[in-house]
């Protein structure tokens, strides 16, 4: 979300002395006593680079506008090509600088943090509980900062929950409660209205100029307010093609127009609108026949009360009277409305201006915790960079501990780099680097590179690599930016080998292949990462490549899948809306009826093509945007693709669009289940069944009950629920899933013949995943060959078959198992079982060093609990107790209640004590 506020968004350019002097003073103030020897860097001058982009007026233009002279590119962009912006630009796919802490040795860092948490949170004689809890709260916040690098939503939420449990003062409790609410915003049952859900993807921006101010609005939203506005913006008037429209003579102020814009999106008047402004909006509504908005104004004027307004008024009284609790109550109201409340210029002023922060300090409500929360919101919501910079500057001023200062300077460097203030950004990155954050060297190198000092950038990264005992993938990726030719490709190959989750090596190689007219090879290259890590940028590139080949059907598939992940995504390096591109390409692809879509969905589902299925669901939603069932199916597919936030957004929209109460209860139940509220989910399922017996209600209840250790009685209940579900109307896709689940329960109960029947019936309706269950039945009947053959059928059918290779390895000899697991790793390097299996085999062969190395390779890019536990067990068997304890502590930092790791940790502590005595 971009926040436009004229008061705070007009900042000087990168050459501005005040900004540079201010940041330099902050750096000097906080880092003079913390500089390390050998980490100081020389000052460099600024020399920005320029990027050239190709443009074409229409995607269906018959003429080429490529400005490149390369013959291989010209052979692609010919008179029949439909590429509005030429080929992908390799300079525009550079990896972003992550705005969080990234220690070189992540395992050491979280191991040390765990020991500090245990030491600080244990009961010690003579220690006051308040002091202890306050320390623990800060440690869990530090844990949150470290775990952000893993991208695991559940882990970071648990850290915040622990911090909240140990908060001792009112301020910390208010901030952490609001933060947890913000983190769960996609999981809440309440959200945007059904009307908003239907139109959420129409985001073409039109700007209204009122005097010297500009108000950015969504063209489609404003047009939807009334017929006259729709005619003005989409009819034959000249304004329909203008991006900027002069409204100076209309008789409305900029503030009132912002209220109109807010109403067009939310269908309610924003809380910060004053009565006088509402009167202006009322006049505007009368002039343009906006009946719904006119009614809202009338209702609003009858109440004249707003929560945010009340908070902003009473907080000033709190400042004047030094009433800390009153200020806390006001903050609670404001923070609970994030991110929306930051659209209010007064709220932004409250947090961003130095004067307001000083007022907050006088009542003990200006804290690093508060501003860390606000900066996280700014980063996640893509807040206007100048506004985000102000928040991070306040964060620096409030930082007290080393990790806090490091994080704050690094984040400020990231923001200034995005604003192309390279010299000032360099100073910030250097401050973080000198405090020991080696990853900030990427920021220093990148700013040097942008200033034309490629050699110095490369030299810095070379030093980082040579000084590091075990270089990581990001180091070689960064150095590749400053190398050319063979050296660049070698660095990218090594980066991908050390950390296959890095997208840039795949993207660069693919783009390079396209420029050499090797488009099919480029698609194969980008497929390597899409197979196991679906992201918008990689889907965009693959769609782009299909456009080069003029395979419009495949391109539209990828763009629709992309829109399912991010509805407002901009293609071609941010130059064209995806939904607009789909509309244009629809002239070149076969149009499917609703029946065609269902047939295609069955086909894609049977091939376990989740991206293809997602694209078809998206197309079906264009015909029936208000159908909640489609949103629900979309959420299931997004969960399979490990897109948690997008999945929860779709599930919430399904709930909001549901017209029947029993259907809405089912979706609420899934939301509760996915957020850990198992009993509440069961209650929703029971209530839905009491209203109407439906497949989805029975399935929800069965699924929720089965997610526990089932005794024979519980298993019987789940079996009956699934049988009842199968008796209810539903489509084959969902019934196939129910049959598969029923087969799994039968297997657990030892009823193998009944399980086999379920799996065979599921296969009859194209539920291809049932091959895996049937293979398990054959294996339990000691027919390993039949099990192996069954998994082979799954491998042959499935588009994504890494898990099938992994599972088939259980039904063959060791050599074939190793081959299958090698293939599973090639297809999906994030699967950890192959590494654990290979390591166990090596330990079996008494190759201890090689076994540890096999696990270490995977831990370097995926420090998962099971792998850390296994490596700790290996170290213990090798009598290397220090390293065993380190890995146990790191694993317990990820899950402090993991029973097996706790047992291993306590045993190793005892063995270590005996060894050293």
């Amino acid at each position: 979300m971009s926040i436009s506020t004229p008061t705070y968004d007009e900042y000087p350019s990168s050459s501005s002395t005040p900004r540079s002097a201010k940041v330099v003073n902050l750096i000097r103030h906080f880092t003079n006593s913390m500089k390390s020897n050998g980490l100081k860097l020389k000052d460099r001058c600024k020399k920005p680079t320029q990027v050239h982009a190709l443009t074409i007026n229409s995607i269906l233009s018959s003429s080429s506008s490529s400005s490149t002279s390369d013959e291989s590119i010209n052979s692609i962009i010919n008179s029949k090509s439909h590429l509005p912006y030429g080929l992908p630009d390799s300079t525009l796919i550079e990896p972003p600088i992550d705005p969080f802490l990234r220690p070189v040795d992540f395992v050491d860092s979280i191991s040390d943090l765990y020991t500090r948490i245990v030491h600080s949170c244990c009961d010690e004689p003579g220690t006051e509980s308040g002091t202890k809890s306050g320390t623990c709260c800060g440690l869990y916040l530090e844990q949150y900062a470290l775990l952000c690098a893993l991208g695991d939503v559940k882990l970071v939420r648990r850290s915040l929950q622990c911090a909240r449990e140990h908060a001792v003062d009112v301020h910390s409790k208010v901030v952490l409660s609001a933060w947890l609410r913000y983190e769960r915003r996609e999981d809440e049952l309440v959200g945007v209205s059904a009307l908003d859900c239907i139109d959420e993807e129409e985001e073409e921006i039109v700007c209204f100029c009122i005097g010297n101010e500009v108000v950015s609005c969504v063209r489609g939203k404003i047009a939807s307010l009334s017929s006259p506005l729709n005619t003005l913006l989409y009819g034959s008037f000249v304004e329909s093609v203008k991006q900027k429209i002069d409204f100076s003579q209309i008789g409305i102020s900029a503030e009132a127009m912002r209220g109109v814009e807010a109403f067009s999106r939310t269908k309610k008047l924003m809380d910060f609108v004053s009565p006088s402004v509402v009167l202006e909006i009322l006049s505007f509504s009368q002039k343009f026949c906006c009946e719904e908005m006119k009614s809202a104004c009338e209702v609003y004027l009858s109440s004249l009360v707003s929560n945010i307004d009340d908070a902003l008024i009473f907080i000033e009284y709190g400042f004047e009277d030094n009433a800390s609790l009153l200020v806390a109550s006001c903050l609670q109201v404001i923070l609970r409305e994030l991110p929306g409340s930051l659209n209010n210029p007064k709220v932004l002023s409250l947090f961003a201006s130095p004067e307001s922060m000083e007022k907050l300090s006088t009542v003990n409500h200006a804290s690093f915790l508060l501003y860390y929360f606000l900066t996280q919101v700014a980063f996640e919501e893509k807040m206007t960079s100048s506004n985000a910079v102000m928040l991070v500057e306040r964060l620096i001023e409030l930082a007290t501990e080393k990790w806090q200062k490091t994080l704050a300077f690094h984040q400020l460097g990231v923001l200034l780099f995005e604003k192309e203030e390279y010299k000032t950004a360099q100073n910030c990155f250097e401050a973080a680097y000198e405090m020991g954050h080696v990853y900030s060297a990427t920021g220093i190198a990148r700013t040097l590179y942008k200033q034309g000092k490629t050699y110095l950038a490369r030299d810095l990264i070379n030093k980082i690599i040579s000084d590091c005992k075990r270089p990581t993938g990001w180091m070689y990726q960064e150095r590749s930016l400053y190398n050319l030719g063979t050296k660049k490709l070698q660095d990218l190959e090594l980066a991908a080998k050390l950390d296959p989750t890095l997208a840039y090596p795949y993207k660069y190689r693919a783009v390079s292949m396209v420029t050499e007219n090797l488009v099919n090879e480029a698609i194969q290259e980008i497929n390597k990462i899409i197979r196991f890590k679906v992201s918008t940028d990689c889907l965009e590139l693959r769609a782009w490549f299909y456009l080069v080949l003029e395979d419009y059907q495949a391109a539209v598939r990828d763009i629709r899948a992309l829109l399912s992940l991010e509805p407002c995504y901009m293609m071609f390096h941010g130059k064209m809306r995806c939904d607009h591109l789909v509309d244009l390409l629809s002239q070149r692809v076969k149009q499917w009826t609703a029946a065609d879509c269902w047939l295609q969905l069955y086909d894609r589902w049977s091939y376990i093509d989740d991206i293809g299925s997602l694209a078809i669901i998206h197309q079906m939603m264009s015909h029936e945007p208000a159908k909640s069932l489609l949103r629900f199916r979309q959420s299931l597919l997004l969960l399979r693709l490990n897109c948690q936030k997008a999945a929860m957004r779709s599930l919430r929209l399904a709930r909001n669009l549901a017209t029947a109460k029993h259907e809405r209860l089912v979706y609420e139940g899934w939301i509760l289940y996915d957020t850990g509220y198992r009993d509440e989910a069961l209650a929703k399922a029971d209530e839905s069944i009491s209203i109407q017996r439906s497949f989805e209600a029975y399935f929800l209840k069965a699924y929720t009950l089965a997610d526990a250790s089932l005794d024979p009685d519980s298993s019987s209940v789940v079996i009956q629920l699934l049988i009842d579900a199968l008796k209810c109307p539903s489509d084959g896709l969902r019934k196939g899933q129910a049959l598969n689940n029923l087969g799994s329960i039968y297997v657990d109960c030892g009823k193998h013949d009944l399980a086999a029947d379920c799996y065979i019936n599921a296969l009859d309706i194209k539920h291809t995943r049932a091959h895996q269950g049937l293979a398990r039945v054959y294996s339990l009947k000691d027919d390993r060959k039949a099990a192996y053959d069954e998994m082979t059928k799954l491998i042959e059918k499935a588009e994504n078959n890494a898990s099938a290779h992994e599972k088939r390895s259980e039904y063959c000899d060791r050599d074939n198992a190793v081959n299958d697991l090698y293939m599973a790793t090639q297809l999906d390097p994030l699967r950890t079982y192959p590494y654990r299996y290979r390591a166990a085999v090596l330990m079996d062969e008494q190759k201890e060093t090689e076994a540890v190395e096999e696990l270490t390779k995977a831990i370097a890019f995926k420090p998962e609990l099971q792998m850390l536990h296994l490596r700790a067990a290996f170290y213990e068997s090798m009598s290397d107790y220090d390293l065993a304890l380190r890995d146990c502590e790191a694993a317990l930092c990820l899950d402090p209640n993991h029973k097996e790791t706790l047992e291993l940790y306590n045993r190793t502590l005892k063995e270590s004590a005996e060894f050293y005595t």
Side-chain angles (χ1 to χ4, degrees):
M1 181 184 297
S2 179
I3 299 176
S4 178
T5 53
T7 308
Y8 292 100
D9 206 37
E10 296 175 2
Y11 259 77
S13 66
S14 60
S15 60
S16 170
T17 303
R19 163 61 57 74
S20 300
K22 188 174 185 180
V23 173
V24 170
N25 287 335
L26 284 170
I27 293 170
R28 287 175 180 168
H29 177 72
F30 285 113
T31 63
N32 279 341
S33 62
M34 307 184 74
K35 290 184 178 179
S36 305
N37 291 332
L39 291 179
K40 296 180 181 179
L41 299 158
K42 298 177 182 179
D43 289 336
R44 287 105 184 178
C45 63
K46 182 174 181 179
K47 183 181 178 182
T49 58
Q50 295 181 346
V51 178
H52 176 70
L54 302 172
T55 58
I56 294 179
N57 290 332
S58 169
I59 192 169
L60 299 177
S61 171
S62 61
S63 62
S64 168
S65 63
S66 172
S67 62
T68 178
S69 59
D70 189 288
E71 292 183 3
S72 63
I73 297 177
N74 282 331
S75 67
I76 297 173
I77 307 179
N78 52 39
S79 59
K80 295 182 180 179
S81 180
H82 307 298
L83 298 171
Y85 299 100
L87 297 173
D89 188 341
S90 61
T91 64
L92 297 180
I93 60 170
E94 291 177 359
I97 303 171
D98 294 327
F100 40 71
L101 297 178
R102 185 185 283 277
V104 173
D105 194 327
F106 182 79
V107 173
D108 267 350
S109 297
I110 61 174
S111 169
D112 172 68
L113 180 59
Y114 177 77
T115 58
R116 286 189 284 134
I117 289 173
V118 170
H119 176 75
S120 299
C121 300
C122 289
D123 291 329
E124 294 181 12
T127 305
E128 294 186 11
S129 61
T131 304
K132 209 167 41 176
S133 293
T135 303
C136 283
C137 180
L139 288 171
Y140 282 116
L141 186 64
E142 182 180 354
Q143 184 185 58
Y144 169 88
L146 281 173
L147 296 182
C148 278
L150 297 182
D152 190 316
V153 175
K154 291 183 179 179
L155 282 179
V156 295
R157 281 185 189 174
R158 197 193 64 227
S159 296
L160 289 176
Q161 288 166 349
C162 291
R164 172 63 183 84
E165 289 169 7
H166 289 87
V168 292
D169 58 271
V170 173
H171 172 77
S172 298
K173 291 177 181 178
V174 166
V175 174
L176 286 165
S177 296
W179 199 337
L180 282 165
R181 179 187 175 90
Y182 173 78
E183 288 289 332
R184 293 193 299 266
R185 64 196 183 282
E186 294 294 355
D187 308 340
E188 294 182 350
L189 299 183
V190 293
V192 295
S193 69
L195 184 59
D196 293 330
C197 298
I198 297 172
D199 295 329
E200 67 166 349
E201 297 175 10
E202 297 297 326
E203 296 286 350
E204 183 185 351
I205 301 301
V206 60
C207 298
F208 293 97
C209 303
I210 302 170
N212 295 325
E213 297 191 53
V214 176
V215 180
S216 297
C217 301
V218 179
R219 184 182 290 269
K221 301 286 187 183
I222 296 294
S224 68
L225 291 176
S226 71
S227 179
L229 285 173
N230 185 71
T231 303
L232 175 71
L233 296 174
Y234 285 109
S236 57
F237 291 95
V238 293
E239 285 82 1
S240 65
V241 294
K242 285 185 176 181
Q243 294 300 314
K244 289 188 176 182
I245 300 174
D246 188 0
F247 258 28
S248 299
Q249 306 302 317
I250 294 297
I252 187 169
S253 67
E255 187 177 2
M257 193 64 207
R258 278 191 281 272
V260 172
E261 185 276 333
F263 183 88
S264 73
R265 289 183 291 103
T266 64
K267 300 306 175 188
K268 63 180 181 180
L269 295 169
M270 296 302 289
D271 295 335
F272 62 84
V273 179
S274 66
S276 61
V277 170
V278 176
L279 287 170
E280 286 188 62
I281 298 174
L282 182 63
S283 175
F284 180 91
S285 302
Q286 181 75 12
K287 186 176 297 184
F288 287 96
C289 305
C290 306
E291 294 301 326
E292 185 180 8
M293 188 163 64
K294 180 182 175 182
S295 298
C297 290
E298 291 171 351
V299 171
Y300 184 94
L301 289 170
S302 67
S303 64
L304 297 177
V305 176
S306 168
N307 289 334
I308 291 290
D309 271 343
D310 288 345
L312 291 170
I313 291 169
F314 283 111
I315 202 168
E316 291 299 331
Y317 287 110
F319 291 150
E320 290 177 10
D321 298 330
N322 198 30
S324 182
L325 287 177
L326 177 57
V327 173
S329 298
C330 295
L331 279 177
Q332 186 175 38
V333 171
I334 294 168
L335 295 177
R336 283 173 68 86
E337 295 300 321
L338 287 172
S341 57
L342 280 179
N343 284 298
N344 187 335
K346 294 179 182 178
V347 171
L348 187 61
S349 173
L350 172 66
F351 293 127
S353 70
E355 296 77 16
S356 293
M357 195 187 80
E358 188 175 342
K359 291 180 182 179
L360 286 167
S361 297
T362 60
V363 288
N364 300 316
H365 282 291
S367 67
F368 178 86
L369 173 63
L370 171 63
Y371 281 87
Y372 188 18
F373 174 30
L374 293 171
T375 55
Q376 287 297 98
V377 174
F379 274 106
E380 287 194 31
E381 301 298 323
K382 297 180 175 60
M383 188 175 171
T384 306
S385 56
S386 294
N387 295 332
V389 164
M390 287 188 292
L391 292 174
V392 180
E393 286 175 345
R394 304 291 86 77
L395 185 70
I396 291 175
E397 293 169 12
L398 293 164
T400 55
E401 298 182 30
K402 182 179 177 180
W403 75 266
Q404 296 175 350
K405 299 170 188 174
T406 301
L407 175 66
F409 276 116
H410 181 77
Q411 287 192 335
L412 184 55
V414 171
L415 290 171
L416 293 174
F417 180 81
E418 291 176 357
K419 286 172 61 66
E420 300 183 8
E421 297 182 21
Y422 298 127
K423 183 59 183 176
T424 315
Q426 180 185 334
N427 292 335
C428 294
F429 286 126
E430 286 178 353
Y433 179 68
E434 289 166 5
M435 284 185 277
H437 190 229
V438 176
Y439 179 70
S440 291
T442 59
I444 302 170
R446 207 75 67 88
T447 55
L448 289 171
Y449 175 58
K450 294 297 184 181
Q451 295 173 80
K453 299 187 177 183
T454 305
Y455 174 79
L456 289 175
R458 183 171 57 246
D459 190 51
L460 173 61
I461 301 301
N462 279 335
K463 183 180 184 302
I464 298 296
I465 292 172
S466 62
D467 290 348
C468 188
K469 292 181 180 178
R470 193 179 185 93
T472 56
W474 66 258
M475 298 177 183
Y476 291 100
Q477 174 179 269
E478 191 64 28
R479 190 172 70 177
S480 73
L481 298 176
Y482 318 123
N483 277 327
L484 298 171
T486 304
K487 287 185 176 181
K488 186 182 190 77
L489 294 175
Q490 287 174 346
D491 276 342
L492 291 172
E493 184 177 354
L494 191 50
K497 181 179 179 181
L498 292 172
D499 186 353
T501 66
L502 297 172
Y504 178 68
Y506 304 93
K507 291 163 64 178
Y508 179 84
R509 289 192 295 252
V511 170
S512 298
M513 290 172 182
V514 170
T515 60
E516 296 171 6
N517 208 359
L518 302 172
V519 186
N520 287 308
E521 290 81 354
I523 291 171
Q524 292 173 14
E525 180 66 28
I526 206 69
N527 280 343
K528 291 178 184 177
I529 190 167
I530 290 177
R531 275 198 298 256
F532 67 88
K533 185 181 178 183
V534 175
S535 63
T536 53
D537 54 343
C538 291
L539 281 174
E540 175 190 7
L541 278 182
R542 191 169 73 173
W544 205 331
F545 299 158
Y546 281 124
L547 287 175
V548 174
L549 292 177
E550 299 185 13
D551 187 345
Y552 302 118
Q553 196 75 50
V556 169
R557 176 202 63 200
D558 282 351
I559 298 168
R560 286 193 179 279
L562 199 161
L563 282 167
S564 302
L565 271 68
E566 193 170 323
C568 298
Y569 193 82
M570 302 286 286
M571 277 281 292
F572 306 125
H573 303 312
K575 296 182 178 69
M576 179 182 285
R577 286 182 53 83
C578 283
D579 52 357
H580 179 53
L581 182 56
V582 169
D583 290 340
L584 292 171
L585 290 174
S586 64
Q587 302 173 37
R588 297 301 180 103
V589 298
K590 182 181 178 182
Q591 297 302 302
W592 291 337
T593 64
D596 293 332
C597 286
W598 276 108
L599 288 173
Q600 290 293 327
L601 184 59
Y602 269 91
D603 186 60
R604 291 300 88 208
W605 191 275
S606 68
Y607 284 103
I608 313 183
D609 177 8
D610 292 334
I611 291 177
S613 300
L614 196 61
I616 294 167
I617 292 287
H618 186 271
Q619 182 172 353
M620 294 167 78
M621 288 193 302
S622 66
H623 299 304
E624 299 179 276
K627 192 166 185 178
S628 58
L629 175 64
L630 295 178
R631 287 285 182 185
F632 178 58
R633 295 296 173 82
Q634 185 183 55
S635 73
L636 296 176
L637 287 165
L638 288 166
L639 278 175
R640 276 191 188 162
L641 293 169
N642 200 29
C643 302
Q644 179 75 22
K645 285 190 176 182
M648 293 307 296
R649 182 189 65 235
S650 295
L651 185 54
R652 191 183 65 185
L653 293 178
R655 182 264 181 195
N656 292 343
L657 289 167
T659 54
K661 184 177 180 181
H662 74 274
E663 183 184 7
R664 184 168 64 253
L665 287 167
V666 169
Y667 301 144
E668 289 177 359
W670 280 115
I671 292 172
L672 290 164
Y673 171 80
D674 287 336
T675 49
Y677 296 97
R678 184 173 172 272
D679 292 340
E680 291 82 352
L682 286 171
K684 292 288 184 182
D686 285 333
E687 186 179 354
S688 179
I689 292 170
S690 69
I691 297 172
Q692 181 170 323
R693 297 159 62 92
S694 68
F695 173 90
E696 292 298 347
Y698 281 121
F699 188 86
L700 167 62
K701 185 173 182 179
Y703 194 95
T704 306
L705 286 173
D707 188 25
S709 298
L710 293 176
D711 54 42
D713 291 338
S714 299
S715 296
S716 298
V717 172
V718 173
I719 288 170
Q720 187 57 51
L721 286 168
L722 289 172
I723 291 173
D724 289 340
L726 289 166
K727 292 177 182 177
C728 297
S730 186
D731 57 77
L733 301 179
R734 294 297 282 160
K735 290 202 171 185
Q737 182 67 61
L739 285 166
N740 197 60
N741 290 12
L742 182 57
S744 179
I745 302 296
Y746 277 138
V747 168
D748 292 340
C749 295
K751 301 176 180 180
H752 299 156
D753 290 337
L754 288 174
D757 290 342
C758 287
Y759 291 129
I760 291 169
N761 289 335
L763 289 170
D764 287 342
I765 53 177
K766 294 189 175 183
H767 191 80
T768 309
R769 287 179 173 85
H771 282 297
Q772 183 169 319
L774 194 55
R776 184 183 174 198
V777 171
Y778 289 143
S779 176
L780 291 170
K781 290 182 175 182
D782 294 326
D783 192 347
R784 285 168 60 84
K785 184 182 184 304
Y788 183 89
D789 292 342
E790 201 65 34
M791 290 308 300
T792 301
K793 294 176 185 176
L794 178 56
I795 289 170
E796 291 170 350
K797 291 181 182 179
E799 289 276 337
N800 191 348
N801 52 25
S803 62
H805 279 286
E806 181 180 298
K807 197 66 182 177
R808 191 174 70 172
S809 69
E810 298 178 16
Y811 310 130
C812 55
D813 56 52
R814 177 173 288 188
D815 288 341
N816 284 326
V818 169
N819 290 336
D820 264 335
L821 293 175
Y822 172 80
M823 181 59 69
T825 300
Q826 292 298 305
L827 295 172
D828 183 356
L830 296 182
R831 305 189 75 84
T832 59
Y833 173 76
Y835 297 97
R836 287 185 276 127
Y837 178 90
R838 289 190 291 264
V841 170
L842 289 167
M843 280 297 280
D844 230 20
E845 298 170 351
Q846 298 184 344
K847 297 178 180 177
E848 297 173 338
T849 304
E850 292 90 335
V852 168
E853 179 60 25
E854 182 66 25
L855 292 176
T856 302
K857 284 191 301 186
I859 289 172
F861 62 87
K862 191 175 182 182
E864 186 201 53
L865 185 146
Q866 294 290 347
M867 303 243 275
L868 288 166
H869 174 88
L870 184 57
R871 191 171 70 172
F874 285 178
Y875 280 133
E876 184 215 15
S877 70
M878 297 161 62
S879 300
D880 196 336
Y881 301 120
D882 289 342
L883 291 177
L885 290 171
R886 180 204 62 183
D887 280 354
C888 283
E889 289 159 357
L892 291 171
C893 190
L894 301 177
D895 183 358
N897 300 315
H898 192 252
K899 183 179 178 181
E900 291 80 3
T901 303
L902 282 169
E903 291 174 355
L904 176 60
Y905 185 49
N906 292 327
R907 185 173 70 244
T908 307
L909 279 172
K910 184 178 178 181
E911 292 170 348
S912 176
E914 292 173 354
F915 181 80
Y916 289 112
T917 55

